[in-house]
């Protein structure tokens, strides 16, 4: 078992100058965060949509007016209020106004067609949602929601004080990434959990103040809400609102961010465009925080070639997004880092288990599911498999739910083999699955070739080369891990059939 220790604290705190660290204390609630931001960054620009920009003083006052409207509608402390809107200024204000009014905010996925009428009705009923603030385009889909509907612009012309909230009060309910569509469950995250995660997100090399970012990932995703917004608010950064993710290629050169928070797919797209357009496309960007799925070492190198440092980490919705972080990706690219302050991690029968400030209170209105994911002694069972190296760096080895159990009892982690073969030259992606030949089980590898690597070769030559590489590397493995079937596929590999996902989120 590896716990938070002074050595781990030093690993992260060495990244920030002591005089700057003193200006970034660990807050207990959203209320403390906003009070301190108004005091320290009052005249600094806070949020911009490239047309309108509000300072931190103005943001504080606008949130206070939102609170007054919430109070005027008769909402009580502990009520659940949802928001269905893209990442605009109004959505960001409500994300902070609702918890500081003593209520709990639920950010609903705002992508087109993400939720239908039936899904919204189920969510409203299960999560006791008292109202939904919506963008106008969601009026039809919420027309039979069974709760009050408000336009996202609704506010007051008066300011209202913050509610009396404690660090243990629930601030946010965030949907788990492993949701059953017919029975959604949401993690209850306290003010303390959110603030600890936002604070831990500060620990990246470089000066923490004066940063600019684009809030690309949706606030309904714990990664986008905490690392993409709140950590940036913590340091008085300028946050550009990105209401349409498809505009990212056009927005980045105009907004000139210094730091970005991205999932691997978006990071690869942005970096690929930069390779075509030239480094000036990403001029000013020093750092990319990457998570939401496995971050391949080749992506880290891709960023490094453009003069950008890409960091990865590990977390899950149920642990407020942040459990470990790796700021040594140049040296140990295949690790998801060390355990953050205020957090403990242990490995039990190969499974990563977590305890500490960032862990959820439980699933809302779902005690049975809550009992399933906690051990008797109170540790969160992540379902992910991992191991620590001698330096205290955590490495993901797979998902317990995806283990392939061979007839001889050997357990195979497909993710471990996918990373192994994924490092081969000419391999863009790899998927390991169980197959059979004449009734006997075997391991099969589905390979997507790197077309740039194989430029000038025909399909037969590519297939022959990949099969030879896989066969050679497979022979270096224990016999029970050997891949005996290889399929070459030029289309994106489909992992959805087995509901396979990594909880890896910075």
């Amino acid at each position: 078992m590896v716990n938070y220790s002074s050595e781990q604290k030093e690993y992260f705190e060495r990244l920030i100058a002591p005089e700057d660290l003193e200006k970034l204390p660990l807050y207990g609630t959203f209320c403390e965060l906003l009070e301190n931001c108004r005091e320290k960054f009052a005249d600094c620009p806070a949020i911009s949509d490239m047309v309108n920009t509000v300072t931190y003083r103005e943001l504080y006052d606008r949130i206070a007016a939102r609170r007054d409207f919430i109070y005027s509608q008769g909402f009580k402390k502990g009520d659940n209020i949802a928001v269905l809107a893209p990442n605009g200024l109004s959505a960001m204000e409500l994300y902070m106004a609702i918890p500081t009014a003593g209520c709990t905010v639920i950010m609903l996925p705002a992508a087109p067609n993400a939720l239908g009428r039936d899904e919204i009705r189920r969510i409203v009923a299960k999560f006791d949602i008292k109202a939904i603030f919506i963008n106008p385009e969601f009026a039809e889909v919420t027309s039979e929601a069974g709760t009050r509907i408000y336009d996202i612009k609704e506010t007051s012309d008066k300011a209202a004080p913050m509610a009396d909230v404690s660090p243990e009060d629930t601030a946010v309910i965030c949907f788990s990434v492993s949701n059953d569509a017919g029975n959604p469950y949401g993690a209850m995250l306290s003010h303390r959990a959110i603030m600890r995660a936002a604070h831990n997100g500060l620990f990246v090399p470089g000066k923490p103040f004066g940063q600019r970012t684009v809030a690309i990932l949706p606030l309904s995703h714990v990664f986008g809400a905490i690392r993409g917004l709140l950590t940036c608010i913590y340091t008085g950064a300028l946050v550009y609102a990105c209401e349409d993710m498809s505009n990212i290629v056009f927005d980045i050169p105009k907004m000139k961010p210094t730091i970005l928070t991205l999932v691997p797919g978006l990071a690869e797209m942005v970096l690929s465009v930069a390779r075509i357009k030239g480094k000036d496309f990403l001029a000013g960007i020093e750092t990319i925080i990457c998570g939401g799925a496995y971050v391949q070492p080749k992506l880290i190198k891709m960023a490094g070639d453009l003069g950008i440092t890409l960091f990865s980490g590990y977390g899950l919705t149920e642990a407020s997004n942040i459990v470990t972080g790796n700021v040594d990706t140049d040296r140990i690219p295949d690790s998801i880092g060390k355990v953050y302050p205020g957090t403990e991690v242990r490995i039990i029968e190969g499974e990563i288990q977590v305890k500490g400030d960032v862990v959820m209170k439980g699933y809302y209105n779902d005690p049975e599911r809550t009992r399933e994911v906690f051990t008797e002694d109170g540790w969160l069972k992540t379902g992910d498999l991992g191991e620590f190296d001698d330096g205290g760096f955590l490495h993901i080895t797979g998902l317990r739910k995806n283990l392939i159990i061979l007839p001889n009892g050997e357990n195979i982690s497909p993710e471990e083999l996918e990373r192994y073969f994924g490092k081969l030259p000419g391999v863009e992606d790899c998927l390991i699955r169980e197959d059979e030949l004449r009734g006997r089980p075997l391991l099969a590898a589905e390979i997507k070739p790197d077309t740039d690597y194989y430029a000038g070769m025909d399909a037969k030559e590519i297939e022959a080369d990949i099969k030879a590489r896989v066969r050679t590397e497979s022979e270096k493995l224990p016999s029970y891990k050997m891949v005996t079937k290889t399929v070459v596929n030029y289309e994106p590999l489909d992992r959805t059939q087995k509901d396979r996902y990594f909880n890896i989120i910075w």
Side-chain angles (χ1 to χ4, degrees), residues 452-491:
D452 289 339
Y453 181 88
Y454 285 111
M457 296 177 65
D458 62 29
K460 287 185 177 180
E461 291 173 319
I462 295 172
E463 182 174 342
D465 186 71
I466 285 177
K467 288 185 174 181
R469 289 176 184 273
V470 171
R471 184 168 55 251
T472 299
E473 291 302 313
S474 187
E475 290 172 354
K476 300 176 183 178
L477 297 170
S479 59
Y480 66 91
K481 289 186 177 182
M482 290 180 65
V483 168
T484 52
K485 179 179 178 180
T486 303
V487 176
V488 176
N489 186 351
Y490 289 88
E491 299 299 320

Side-chain angles (χ1 to χ4, degrees), residues 349-368:
E349 296 181 352
E351 182 186 42
I352 300 170
Q353 298 182 358
V354 182
K355 199 173 189 179
D357 291 344
V358 295
V359 174
M360 69 172 180
K361 299 166 69 173
Y363 291 117
Y364 186 86
N365 201 19
D366 205 334
E368 182 178 348

Side-chain angles (χ1 to χ4, degrees), residues 164-177:
D164 181 16
V165 300
S166 80
E168 305 312 319
D169 289 338
T170 302
V172 179
I173 293 176
C174 213
F175 295 127
S176 171
V177 297

Side-chain angles (χ1 to χ4, degrees), residues 51-298:
V51 176
N52 302 297
T53 301
V54 300
T55 65
Y56 275 87
R57 179 187 288 109
E58 292 168 333
L59 178 64
Y60 182 92
D61 292 340
R62 290 170 69 98
I63 291 172
R66 296 276 189 179
R67 273 197 307 272
D68 187 71
F69 180 79
I70 292 169
Y71 295 152
S72 74
Q73 299 304 298
F75 295 109
K76 303 184 183 71
K77 184 175 181 181
D79 282 349
N80 297 336
I81 301 175
V83 178
L84 181 55
N87 286 10
L89 175 59
S90 294
M92 293 178 185
E93 289 173 359
L94 284 166
Y95 185 77
M96 293 179 275
I98 293 170
T100 57
C103 300
T104 301
V105 63
I106 302 176
M107 303 301 294
L108 300 177
N113 304 315
L115 295 173
R117 289 186 180 186
D118 290 344
E119 288 89 353
I120 288 177
R121 279 197 297 267
R122 278 198 295 269
I123 289 170
V124 167
K126 178 167 184 175
F127 296 96
D128 301 315
I129 293 174
K130 305 301 183 184
I132 309 176
F133 286 85
I134 66 167
N135 257 31
E137 65 264 30
F138 297 108
E140 183 177 349
V141 77
T142 57
S143 60
E144 300 175 4
T147 191
R148 284 184 276 177
I149 304 296
Y150 295 101
D151 187 277
I152 192 78
K153 300 292 185 184
E154 290 277 14
T155 187
S156 171
D157 57 3
K158 297 187 299 182
M162 298 183 186
D164 181 16
V165 300
S166 80
E168 305 312 319
D169 289 338
T170 302
V172 179
I173 293 176
C174 213
F175 295 127
S176 171
V177 297
S178 53
N179 265 327
D180 173 357
N183 181 30
Y185 42 93
M188 296 183 290
L189 303 177
S190 68
H191 283 259
R192 183 189 305 280
I194 296 287
M195 288 302 108
R196 169 64 81 172
H199 189 265
N200 283 345
L202 299 170
F203 295 115
V204 295
K207 192 168 181 62
F209 304 108
Q211 299 282 358
R212 298 184 304 277
T213 193
V214 185
I216 297 169
L217 301 181
L219 298 180
S220 58
H221 194 301
V222 68
F223 185 29
I226 294 181
R227 187 57 191 81
L229 175 64
L230 291 182
T231 292
C232 299
I233 295 291
Y234 225 107
T235 61
L238 170 57
V239 179
Y240 287 104
C242 177
E243 296 198 33
D244 187 350
M245 196 182 298
S246 65
N247 288 332
I248 180 175
V249 172
F250 305 102
D251 289 341
I252 288 177
K254 292 187 294 186
M255 297 173 175
K256 298 189 181 303
T258 58
I259 186 169
L260 287 176
T261 300
L262 302 172
V263 294
L266 276 176
E268 184 172 5
M269 183 191 75
V270 168
L271 294 171
S272 296
V273 172
R275 287 204 301 188
I276 296 169
K277 289 181 172 287
K279 291 184 178 181
D280 288 347
F281 171 72
L282 298 179
I285 297 179
E286 300 170 351
T287 307
I288 292 177
I289 309 298
C290 198
Y294 176 59
V295 179
Q296 295 184 339
K298 65 178 71 175

